[in-house]
């Protein structure tokens, strides 16, 4: 493995000098870097760093990792063109967006899906469905595992007629964007579902919420977003764009950024893992690894903990000192959730490349759930990390596999699972945790910081107070 | 487009001189070369030819196109090692193959699936399912759209125990092969079906015949085939391996090989298309384009015309002079048929690269069929050629789209469809053709050569004579 890394670095056109941290690569390489697939060596991306240090420059650039396609896409219309575009939008045929369509407009507008410049055209849709990747003009691939598409029904299609451009309208009636040079093509829902989820069983949350009620056409084109998407829910300050995140990593002089995707409260097992990852990056020679704690903020299924509660819980985790605010950035990832396992985890990783993360932590069964109609996991729990390690377009991202943490009944805290004394460990699933919080029962000491736990208990108590506080199906 | 081609050729490391046939590229490029996807220019593969001609060598190599992975895989044990291997196989745990498993052993043994060296391991299976391609050690991709896997049940898995190697046994009890360094992993049938076919609807022929009855485990490993697979059905002389096909193209001094995949009788529309393709290749400057007429010989669905009848029909087409035997090679492609549309057509094209074809003709709805439970095509008829033009690993193959041929009632022959006089054309589907032959009704004059038609009529008459002559579900 050390040989592979040297080879890749020395082959890189930006290579100028062997970085210090590689002086003894056989010693500093972490054993926990995942590499079961011999076809895909994990490459540490220090080329930019090394060229900078060798040139004795003082400024650490945000470009620890290039955005997909080379530059970050920003689809928001410049301030000085806004009025003109709004007038134009008013004159165009209009498409009414759902709340989740609007989340995708948000995702696209800030370049999380770079190099996509709008909702997918058919050639992008087909590449995404069949190859989970897009080929660029230079022959290289970027990852693109989820179709990012906009569905319309027959009536909307008729209303558009032969107009080359359309306006997109938010659920509240606000004009949101122009979609240009549109292309309308068939929405074969069955095929989309089968190829994305690997099942067509009824009960998939995103399918039931989004796809089944959607129209039989997809409309692609270039997107021009009239102004930044805001939710006015008290959480907008956490909705930090990839561009702003890259600036923040610069400001902190990060020399490594490791992203942690989550849609659950943070317990001490997660914290152990994140702190351990940071230590290992320090051991590898990085001076200032920054954690991007990155809860998903778009659509989630009804029994997930809502975003506002999770954000409050995450705040407590930092307040209680379980994670270090100095080396942690908490921000919201605005994407809706598909629960599409190995297919979706690629999207989660790819979007974090665009936000400047060059390390990605992957756990057991990422983006997985129980099979909706059978008594088993929908996906093999190991497939997520395996597929991630093989995925076209993710070669430049370092994949860090989750070490399994569980409650250690001897040490009375969360520890990495030790198979030699398996009976000492208690696995507390998300379902189990929610059930504790719902019934008011305390989890074992050391499972979660008290401040964070209180947030959850209060949330479930508020649910029981009355129907009016039921969690919304769409959490953001 | 001419610019793109020049660019690609001049960038190629093997480029030595501009070949003659490119002296006026804007004039000689055929208009019917398919290129709707701007991301993927079609590149004409003359680099090998040009370097040969510029070096004034006399021998035309078979390597008009390199096999996937660089060298053609051959898994048949050398004669002098056979006895040793047979003795070893006798001592190993045994897996009983189905007829279709044996067809895959045949496919693998001759290198149609190069660079695969045996039934897929899990990392190959996952790449095939999710990316329709395999990443090689050098970072490049080869296409691999269908999982080529061997299923076993719980009992077979138990019987194998901890043996690293197993013997494969034909349905008739013959020892066929050794599978080495085996890896056993879960066979999630639902996911495999959904990701391969884009549907899980009941009634998919390959699923019903092969996957549903199969075991819940897959076994991968390196294959050593004890001797060439033979069927002793009178058609073995047509089962020409990729290695032998490449030799034959050399012998004929082919400077282009265009493959035509089919599983139906050849009518005059097909012949028009193939002859037209040859003429266009001549117009492009090729001196000796050879047609590989390549009927699929493995599993086909019950109502397809069986292989022996099709081979007889194809012989008549050549005898009657509809196709020119001097410039045509007829051979059997030993693969089973999946009827998996855009996913399968990639396999059909990829396998022909390994057989030495550098042009591939693709039609409307390749490998498609009606949806098994709904009144519509299972696949969008245009998706096959679109997906083929985008597929990772097929960049080196030139894709030639089918021009639609139909019966021209004015000219009383098959002609290319002319939309300006659409009403003059009669479309005769495979189903319609079979219905004509079954009822003894003659198709319009000029639809098929009389010798070929007679073969079909006789076949359907023989079916009606009695149950004993019903077509087998498995045609080869």
């Amino acid at each position: 493995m050390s040989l592979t890394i040297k080879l890749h670095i020395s082959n890189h056109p930006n290579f100028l000098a062997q970085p210090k941290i590689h002086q003894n690569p056989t010693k500093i390489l972490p054993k926990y870097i995942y590499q079961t697939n011999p076809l895909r060596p994990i490459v540490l991306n220090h080329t930019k760093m090394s060229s900078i240090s060798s040139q004795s420059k003082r400024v650490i650039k945000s470009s620890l990792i290039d955005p997909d396609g080379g530059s970050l896409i920003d689809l928001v219309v410049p301030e000085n063109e806004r009025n003109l575009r709004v007038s134009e939008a008013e004159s165009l045929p209009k498409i009414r967006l759902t709340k989740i369509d609007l989340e995708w407009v948000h995702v696209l507008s800030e370049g999380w899906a770079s190099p996509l410049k709008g909702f997918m055209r058919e050639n992008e849709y087909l590449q995404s469905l069949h190859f989970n990747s897009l080929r660029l003009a230079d022959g290289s691939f970027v990852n693109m595992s989820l179709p990012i598409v906009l569905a319309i029904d027959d009536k909307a299609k008729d209303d558009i007629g032969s107009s080359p451009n359309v306006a997109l309208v938010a659920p509240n009636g606000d004009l949101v964007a122009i979609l240009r040079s549109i292309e309308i093509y068939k929405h074969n829902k069955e095929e989309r579902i089968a190829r994305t989820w690997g099942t067509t069983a009824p009960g998939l949350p995103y399918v039931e919420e989004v796809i089944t009620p959607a129209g039989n056409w997809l409309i692609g084109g270039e997107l021009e977003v009239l102004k930044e998407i805001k939710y006015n829910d008290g959480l907008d300050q956490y909705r930090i764009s990839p561009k702003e995140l890259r600036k923040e990593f610069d400001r902190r002089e990060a020399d490594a950024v490791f992203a942690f995707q989550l849609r659950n409260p943070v317990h001490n097992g997660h914290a152990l893992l994140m702190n351990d990852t940071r230590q290992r990056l320090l051991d590898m020679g990085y001076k200032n690894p920054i954690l991007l704690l990155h809860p998903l903020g778009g659509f989630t299924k009804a029994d997930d903990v809502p975003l506002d509660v999770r954000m409050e819980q995450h705040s407590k985790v930092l307040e209680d000192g379980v994670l270090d605010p100095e080396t942690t950035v908490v921000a919201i990832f605005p994407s809706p959730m598909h629960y599409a396992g190995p297919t979706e985890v690629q999207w989660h990783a790819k979007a974090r490349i665009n936000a400047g993360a060059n390390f990605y932590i992957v756990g057991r069964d990422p983006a997985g759930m129980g099979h909706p109609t059978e008594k088993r996991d929908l996906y093999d729990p190991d497939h997520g990390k395996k597929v991630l390690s093989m995925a076209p377009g993710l070669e430049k991202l370092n994949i860090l596999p989750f070490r399994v943490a569980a409650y250690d009944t001897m040490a009375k805290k969360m520890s990495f699972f030790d198979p030699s004394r398996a009976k000492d460990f208690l696995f507390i699933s998300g379902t189990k945790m929610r059930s504790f919080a719902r019934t008011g029962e305390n989890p074992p000491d050391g499972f979660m910081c008290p401040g964070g736990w209180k947030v959850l208990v209060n949330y479930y108590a508020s649910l029981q107070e009355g129907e009016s506080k039921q969690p919304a199906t769409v959490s953001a």
Side-chain angles (χ1 to χ4, degrees), chain A:
Chain A
M1 190 162 158
S2 59
L3 193 66
T4 310
I5 287 170
K6 282 184 72 175
L7 195 68
H8 276 265
I9 289 176
S10 61
N11 280 344
H12 195 287
N14 287 350
F15 176 74
L16 293 174
Q18 190 79 350
K20 267 188 183 168
I21 55 165
H22 277 135
Q23 280 179 344
N24 194 350
T26 53
K27 276 193 182 163
I28 59 170
L29 285 169
K31 284 183 185 148
Y32 66 109
I33 283 193
Y34 180 71
Q35 197 190 22
T36 60
N37 172 14
L39 299 181
R40 195 249 160 161
I42 284 183
V43 182
L44 302 179
N45 248 297
H46 295 301
T47 47
K48 285 291 164 76
M49 278 179 59
S50 67
S51 66
I52 286 162
S53 66
S54 69
Q55 290 166 27
S56 303
K57 288 189 182 163
R58 291 221 185 122
V59 183
I60 294 176
K61 281 293 300 153
S62 68
S63 307
L64 297 172
I65 189 166
D66 285 336
D68 279 346
S71 60
L72 199 58
I73 298 297
D74 178 355
L75 303 176
V76 181
V77 170
E79 185 77 39
N80 60 351
E81 296 176 19
R82 190 160 298 162
N83 289 342
L84 202 67
R85 292 285 183 280
V86 170
S87 306
E88 183 187 353
E90 282 165 352
S91 73
L92 294 173
K94 307 213 171 26
I95 294 176
R96 181 68 69 136
L97 303 177
T98 67
K99 193 169 178 178
I100 294 171
D101 291 336
L102 189 59
E103 291 173 358
W104 282 119
V105 170
H106 182 190
V107 164
L108 289 165
S109 71
E110 296 182 340
W112 298 94
S114 294
L116 272 195
K117 292 182 175 167
F119 286 104
M120 288 182 173
R121 297 174 179 280
E122 192 181 40
N123 86 68
E124 294 160 333
Y125 173 69
L126 289 173
Q127 290 182 77
S128 171
L129 267 198
H130 288 275
F131 313 125
N132 286 9
S133 58
L134 296 183
R135 188 197 305 262
L136 303 185
D138 68 0
S140 68
F141 291 94
V142 294
N143 193 264
M144 195 65 74
S145 61
L146 292 185
I148 300 182
V149 289
L150 181 59
I152 56 174
D153 60 18
D154 292 356
K155 170 150 189 333
K157 181 171 180 282
D158 286 348
D159 290 349
I160 293 167
S162 62
S163 175
N165 308 318
V166 298
L168 308 185
V169 180
N172 69 0
D174 286 353
L175 276 176
V176 167
I178 295 173
L179 197 64
R180 291 200 186 276
S181 308
I182 57 166
E183 174 186 340
I184 298 177
Y185 55 101
K186 276 180 241 157
H187 187 195
N188 183 332
K189 298 179 188 182
E190 182 190 52
E191 183 174 14
R192 176 181 172 194
I193 296 163
R195 296 198 192 275
T196 303
W197 279 270
T199 177
T200 58
L204 299 167
Y206 190 89
V207 170
E208 307 263 302
E209 180 75 22
V210 178
I211 301 182
T212 305
N216 288 317
W217 303 96
L218 297 175
I219 179 168
E222 275 76 58
L223 197 62
E224 287 180 12
V225 181
L226 300 175
K227 61 176 185 175
E228 286 85 359
I229 307 291
K230 297 293 173 197
Y231 298 72
N232 303 311
D233 58 355
L235 299 175
D236 280 335
Q237 78 271 23
Y238 291 110
R239 295 195 176 86
I240 310 176
S241 71
K243 188 165 74 178
E244 292 160 343
L245 282 171
R246 284 174 173 260
K247 274 192 205 152
E248 177 65 16
F249 301 140
D250 274 0
R251 199 186 64 74
R252 298 196 187 208
E253 303 198 342
D255 59 358
V257 174
F258 58 111
F260 188 72
Q261 141 75 29
L262 73 172
R263 59 167 222 278
N264 272 314
V266 173
H267 60 57
N268 289 346
H270 298 134
L272 170 66
L273 175 84
M274 290 185 266
N275 288 324
D276 180 73
T277 301
R278 179 171 152 80
Q279 186 55 51
R280 285 171 186 261
L281 290 170
L282 290 170
D283 293 347
M284 287 165 74
Y286 290 98
K287 299 299 177 207
N288 189 23
I290 297 290
L291 164 64
L292 172 59
L293 184 71
H294 217 192
L296 178 137
F299 165 81
T300 52
K301 60 190 166 64
D303 65 346
D304 278 356
V305 178
L307 179 64
D308 56 346
V309 180
R310 285 185 280 134
M311 292 310 290
E312 192 184 344
Q313 196 270 349
H314 299 342
S315 296
K316 294 295 176 193
V317 167
L318 273 92
E319 271 177 35
D320 285 7
V322 177
L323 291 173
D324 178 5
E326 285 298 307
T327 57
T328 304
V329 171
V330 186
I332 292 174
F333 174 48
S335 171
M337 187 79 200
H338 271 57
Y339 304 91
T343 301
E344 184 167 27
V345 72
Q346 298 171 64
W347 160 243
H348 288 174
K350 176 242 162 63
R352 272 55 177 241
I353 292 178
N354 286 331
N358 56 346
F359 286 85
Y360 185 83
I361 303 176
V362 60
R364 186 184 172 281
D365 201 15
M369 50 175 260
H371 192 288
T373 59
E374 297 172 23
K375 275 211 147 189
R376 61 173 176 93
D377 287 333
L378 181 50
Y379 303 107
D380 183 315
D382 289 330
H383 280 188
K385 62 172 180 277
K386 288 180 182 173
V387 166
L388 201 54
S389 76
M390 300 163 177
L394 297 183
E395 300 81 359
K396 59 186 174 182
L397 185 67
N398 299 292
I399 309 297
L400 300 168
F402 229 91
R403 296 167 75 200
V404 178
Y407 188 74
D408 183 344
T409 56
M410 292 291 112
K412 297 206 182 307
K413 60 171 190 170
M414 297 297 282
S415 305
F416 288 120
F417 178 67
D418 176 356
S420 73
R421 49 185 192 93
K423 65 174 178 31
D424 297 342
F425 286 87
L426 206 60
F427 285 87
I428 301 174
S429 66
T431 309
K432 184 77 187 162
M433 179 185 71
R434 289 192 292 265
S435 139
F436 276 141
R438 199 177 293 113
T439 58
E441 193 181 343
N442 277 327
D445 264 5
F447 171 74
M448 188 183 286
C449 65
W453 185 250
K454 195 151 174 274
V455 173
L456 292 190
V457 171
N458 289 346
Y459 163 65
Y460 282 104
S462 76
L463 280 191
Q464 286 164 358
E465 277 170 23
E467 284 294 305
S468 63
K469 291 195 177 175
Q470 282 294 332
T473 305
V474 178
S475 69

